Amino acid sequence: MSESFKLVVLASGTGTNLQAILDRLHGREGVEVVGVGSDRPGAKALERARAAGVETAVFPPAEYADRATRDAAMAEWIESRGADLVALAGYMQLLGGEFVARFRHRVINVHPALLPSFPGLDAIGQALEAGAEVTGVTVHFVDEGVDTGPVIVQREVAIPADRDRATLEEAVHAVEHELYPETIRMIARGMTS
Ligand code: GRF
């Protein structure tokens, strides 16, 4: 049997995308989540990882002299886990150039808009504010910019006629929770076959 495809997830918040990855992908078809890292010790994502028996690590900005030092510690940990791919799932820190270069085309992110439209924070609010009729979800490689890396896949989400934010958020997250695990599965197949 071929070796498993190893995934590290980085998350800062509630971790619903992490949960979708754990539920839909972890331990199936040769894909294994080998670690969950966070900048926030209290992140709910870490609880989800522990509940699934996945190793966790925390890299709080306050404990490192600068971003490069923190990124380097995180990179060492990721490599020690033997990761083939790093998936950002609501990870709220910028990754420095050295980290990105070290893991070029091995770090992906999920973003709640059709990039290049609405990059950065509150992409759902930006789409509503701009009067858009359609938004969506993008999975892309991470480069040195903010949400600027090469797009891997996108899926549209219609903005509801009443433009209700909660309804739209729910629809976008439902698409994220399908599309992100699907995309990781696709990458894993490509890299392990
Ligand atoms: C998601 O909307 C994702 O697209 C964005 O951050 C959010 C994370 O949510 N990058 P969660 O922590 O996975 O619930």
Side-chain angles (χ1 to χ4, degrees):
M1 210 185 100
S2 62
E3 228 198 292
S4 66
F5 181 87
K6 296 185 177 63
L7 181 69
V8 160
V9 178
L10 300 182
S12 303
T14 51
T16 62
N17 279 283
L18 166 67
Q19 193 65 55
I21 291 166
L22 291 169
D23 292 345
R24 295 172 187 216
L25 210 52
H26 179 50
R28 297 185 197 194
E29 298 174 54
V31 180
E32 198 190 340
V33 179
V34 293
V36 172
S38 184
D39 53 320
R40 295 193 186 155
K44 180 139 194 257
L46 294 170
E47 281 174 39
R48 296 178 191 271
R50 287 185 209 110
V54 173
E55 180 172 312
T56 60
V58 187
F59 303 90
E63 288 182 16
Y64 296 89
D66 52 29
R67 189 171 72 189
T69 314
R70 196 170 66 91
D71 278 1
M74 203 160 63
E76 288 302 318
W77 175 72
I78 290 167
E79 283 186 349
S80 78
R81 302 304 299 146
D84 296 297
L85 185 73
V86 178
L88 308 187
Y91 184 66
M92 299 307 287
Q93 300 285 330
L94 288 174
L95 293 165
E98 272 181 49
F99 183 97
V100 170
R102 186 161 167 177
F103 295 102
R104 178 83 56 201
H105 293 141
R106 289 202 290 145
V107 186
I108 62 173
N109 182 42
V110 61
H111 183 78
L114 298 175
L115 292 171
S117 295
F118 315 127
L121 293 174
D122 192 21
I124 293 176
Q126 289 185 55
L128 287 170
E129 188 71 18
E133 288 181 2
V134 172
T135 185
V137 173
T138 301
V139 180
H140 65 97
F141 289 110
V142 170
D143 69 5
E144 287 78 358
V146 175
D147 302 324
T148 51
V151 170
I152 302 168
V153 64
Q154 295 186 304
R155 194 166 289 172
E156 290 186 356
V157 175
I159 295 188
D162 63 3
R163 310 192 71 76
D164 179 62
R165 185 182 171 113
T167 310
L168 178 58
E169 273 176 358
E170 199 179 313
V172 167
H173 289 142
V175 169
E176 289 183 332
H177 298 163
E178 275 189 24
L179 190 63
Y180 210 20
E182 252 175 46
T183 307
I184 295 166
R185 182 182 294 119
M186 184 186 83
I187 293 171
R189 282 191 188 147
M191 284 169 73
T192 54
S193 60

